Amino acid sequence: MKIVVFGASRGVGLEVVKQALEGGYQVTAFVRSPEKFTVTHPNLTVFKGDSMDAEAVEKAIAEQDAVISALGPTRPPVPHMMETSAKNIVAGMRKHGVRRLVSTTGAGVRQPEDQPKFIDHFIGFLLNLLAKDVVLDSAANVKVIRESDLDWTVVRFPRLMDGEHKGRYQVGYVGKSSGTQLSRADGADFILKELTEMKWLKKLPLVSY
């Protein structure tokens, strides 16, 4: 299976690249600075580009079987970066007839199925207070994907951390059984499983410990 990974240079995206290569995928890592990307593998192609550049995104999607977007906010934040990137990805997938998209966002993007606890409300309050533009851009990114006709899943994550690849975590919605953290390695594990299993098609599950 041929996949392109946006946001491949760090965090969950980098873990997706590593685990996908271990799993036998042919991977295109979409990165802004290839000279800083240290992963090498016979099945890896490193594609230089900016996700806000529609032409570059479209070229990277050509001839792929599926798309994974692990894009996250930059520091300092670039206004509307995630929304614009989502529009470019959706347009590129439509042009080349690629149907399957797994994207990521934060747990602060609420869904009707959520039953947030006090700690969830408190974290949401802090995010809106300290990073409102990022929260709004994340919500806009999800809106673009939800309104597409693609076979999408948007995976929501709580606070991500470095940690081992356990392969054990909870999947559901914000509420009684959800946790407040997850390792990046296990986040990548779920993304790759969901890519082919499609158990959460057109849904926004929260993955946590």
Side-chain angles (χ1 to χ4, degrees), residues 145-165:
I145 294 170
R146 291 192 72 152
E147 292 179 350
S148 77
D149 58 352
L150 302 173
D151 296 328
W152 58 266
T153 301
V154 176
V155 184
R156 293 183 293 163
F157 292 132
R159 184 170 69 87
L160 291 165
M161 58 186 184
D162 292 330
E164 63 180 309
H165 180 189

Side-chain angles (χ1 to χ4, degrees), residues 36-163:
K36 297 179 182 178
F37 194 75
T38 58
V39 178
T40 58
H41 194 281
N43 289 341
L44 175 66
T45 299
V46 181
F47 189 106
K48 180 179 180 179
D50 188 317
S51 62
M52 295 184 74
D53 179 347
E55 184 177 356
V57 170
E58 181 262 309
K59 286 181 179 178
I61 291 173
E63 299 183 5
Q64 304 291 342
D65 297 314
V67 175
I68 293 174
S69 175
L71 292 167
T74 58
R75 293 191 181 98
V78 176
H80 309 292
M81 185 277 286
M82 287 182 283
E83 179 183 16
T84 301
S85 299
K87 289 179 178 178
N88 292 341
I89 289 170
V90 168
M93 292 179 69
R94 283 173 173 162
K95 179 173 180 177
H96 292 288
V98 181
R99 296 289 308 165
R100 184 61 171 139
L101 169 64
V102 179
S103 188
T104 66
T105 193
V109 178
R110 295 284 187 247
Q111 294 303 299
E113 298 92 343
D114 292 341
Q115 296 180 340
K117 299 173 287 188
F118 172 79
I119 186 63
D120 302 311
H121 286 296
F122 181 67
I123 292 171
F125 169 77
L126 288 179
L127 286 171
N128 278 285
L129 181 66
L130 302 174
K132 188 172 183 179
D133 289 346
V134 170
V135 172
L136 292 174
D137 194 21
S138 297
N141 163 59
V142 170
K143 186 173 186 290
V144 169
I145 294 170
R146 291 192 72 152
E147 292 179 350
S148 77
D149 58 352
L150 302 173
D151 296 328
W152 58 266
T153 301
V154 176
V155 184
R156 293 183 293 163
F157 292 132
R159 184 170 69 87
L160 291 165
M161 58 186 184
D162 292 330

Side-chain angles (χ1 to χ4, degrees), residues 12 105-108 110 117 119-120 123 155-164 166-188 190 206-209:
V12 172
T105 193
R110 295 284 187 247
K117 299 173 287 188
I119 186 63
D120 302 311
I123 292 171
V155 184
R156 293 183 293 163
F157 292 132
R159 184 170 69 87
L160 291 165
M161 58 186 184
D162 292 330
E164 63 180 309
K166 301 176 182 177
R168 301 188 305 274
Y169 37 75
Q170 301 178 92
V171 185
Y173 294 98
V174 176
K176 294 180 180 179
S177 62
S178 63
T180 58
Q181 57 185 1
L182 182 76
S183 76
R184 295 176 177 87
D186 278 336
F190 177 79
L206 174 74
V207 184
S208 67
Y209 290 139

